[in-house]
Amino acid sequence: MLHTLHRSSAVIIALFAIFHIANHGFAVAGVEAHIQLMESLRQVYRLPLVEALLIGCVLFQVGSGLYFVARRFGERQDFFDRLQAASGCYLAFFLLVHVSAVVFGRSVLGLDTNFFYAAAGMHVFPYALFFLPYYFLAVAAIFAHLACAAHWLMRNRLGPVQRDRLGYALCVAGLLLSAVIITAFAGGFSAVEIPAEYLATYGRGPGT
Ligand code: HEM
């Protein structure tokens, strides 16, 4: 029963994540393209019912996922089995911090939690030492977690070699896409000028 609910909630989060990560991919086309797409997507995921469902699923996913990890602690032998637990633990940490930060940014700081809210931390030293790997690992971990799910779901359809190849291919795709997204946020494709109100959250002014 708990496994079925975990999988159903995963489908809802994955559906959001596909659009959310595609949105971040648009940063390659420039900050304006990213912000415009986010504003269109917000028309759906910021509807109160949709947002409550999404945040409810995130909380349930974190709780049930950590319970599964604890229940099978020390029993996992296979690479994909271990990767599933490791990527799930990272996603639990990331999602709790990430969603709390978005809610805090909107309700307490009164900021528009758009591209600049995420990018600011990547542009201020020493915070960048935390935020660059934090976001890089998030995209890599969600792909790794989906790779493990695909590896398991294909157990009766593909041979062991093909299943492993599918799993590794999804992990590599996640690493590559994550590197592209983080490079775009860090200003590697075109200059990113962080507005003063976002720099101020790190105690900095423009040019400092
Ligand atoms: C490069 C990696 C990521 C960046 C830069 C990023 C950035 C952001 C930003 C800026 C927001 C605020 C959106 C808004 O105000 O409309 C947000 C919200 C959110 N993100 Fe991410 N995100 C990343 C990865 C992920 C991943 C992998 C997940 C996993 C599903 C995720 C889940 C969420 C959720 C659940 C919200 C809250 C949506 C809401 O209710 O407003 N994010 N993210």
Side-chain angles (χ1 to χ4, degrees):
M1 174 66 175
L2 196 59
H3 268 116
T4 312
L5 285 174
H6 187 81
R7 253 172 260 146
S8 313
S9 146
V11 170
I12 293 171
I13 298 172
L15 199 63
F16 168 79
I18 290 170
F19 288 99
H20 192 53
I21 291 172
N23 188 172
H24 298 327
F26 261 62
V28 170
V31 176
E32 261 321 298
H34 182 282
I35 290 179
Q36 267 179 24
L37 180 57
M38 183 169 268
E39 272 167 12
S40 309
L41 292 174
R42 278 175 176 172
Q43 309 285 327
V44 180
Y45 69 74
R46 283 238 182 138
L47 289 172
L49 256 180
V50 176
E51 192 163 39
L53 176 71
L54 181 62
I55 294 180
C57 285
V58 165
L59 293 176
F60 172 75
Q61 203 69 9
V62 168
S64 56
L66 291 178
Y67 168 74
F68 292 138
V69 171
R71 206 177 55 179
R72 289 191 53 210
F73 193 76
E75 287 174 16
R76 295 172 190 264
Q77 301 298 331
D78 174 62
F79 171 77
F80 284 100
D81 228 13
R82 287 182 169 174
L83 183 65
Q84 188 180 37
S87 55
C89 283
Y90 184 75
L91 283 173
F93 156 76
F94 172 79
L95 285 173
L96 282 183
V97 176
H98 187 57
V99 174
S100 310
V102 170
V103 171
F104 181 81
R106 263 159 68 180
S107 54
V108 180
L109 302 177
L111 288 170
D112 179 352
T113 50
N114 61 12
F115 173 92
F116 294 116
Y117 187 62
M122 304 186 207
H123 286 258
V124 180
F125 187 82
Y127 301 97
L129 297 178
F130 170 78
F131 283 107
L132 290 169
Y134 165 80
Y135 283 119
F136 177 81
L137 287 175
V139 177
I142 202 149
F143 269 76
H145 211 63
L146 293 176
C148 297
H151 189 264
W152 187 79
L153 289 170
M154 288 294 145
R155 68 197 179 285
N156 296 326
R157 291 170 188 239
L158 296 177
V161 176
Q162 290 153 313
R163 276 172 74 209
D164 284 358
R165 277 193 193 143
L166 173 69
Y168 292 131
L170 285 171
C171 290
V172 172
L175 289 169
L176 292 175
L177 179 61
S178 194
V180 170
I181 290 173
I182 301 309
T183 307
F185 270 73
F189 295 121
S190 53
V192 169
E193 208 53 58
I194 308 287
E197 65 265 36
Y198 296 93
L199 289 175
T201 61
Y202 294 92
R204 303 291 161 89
T208 59

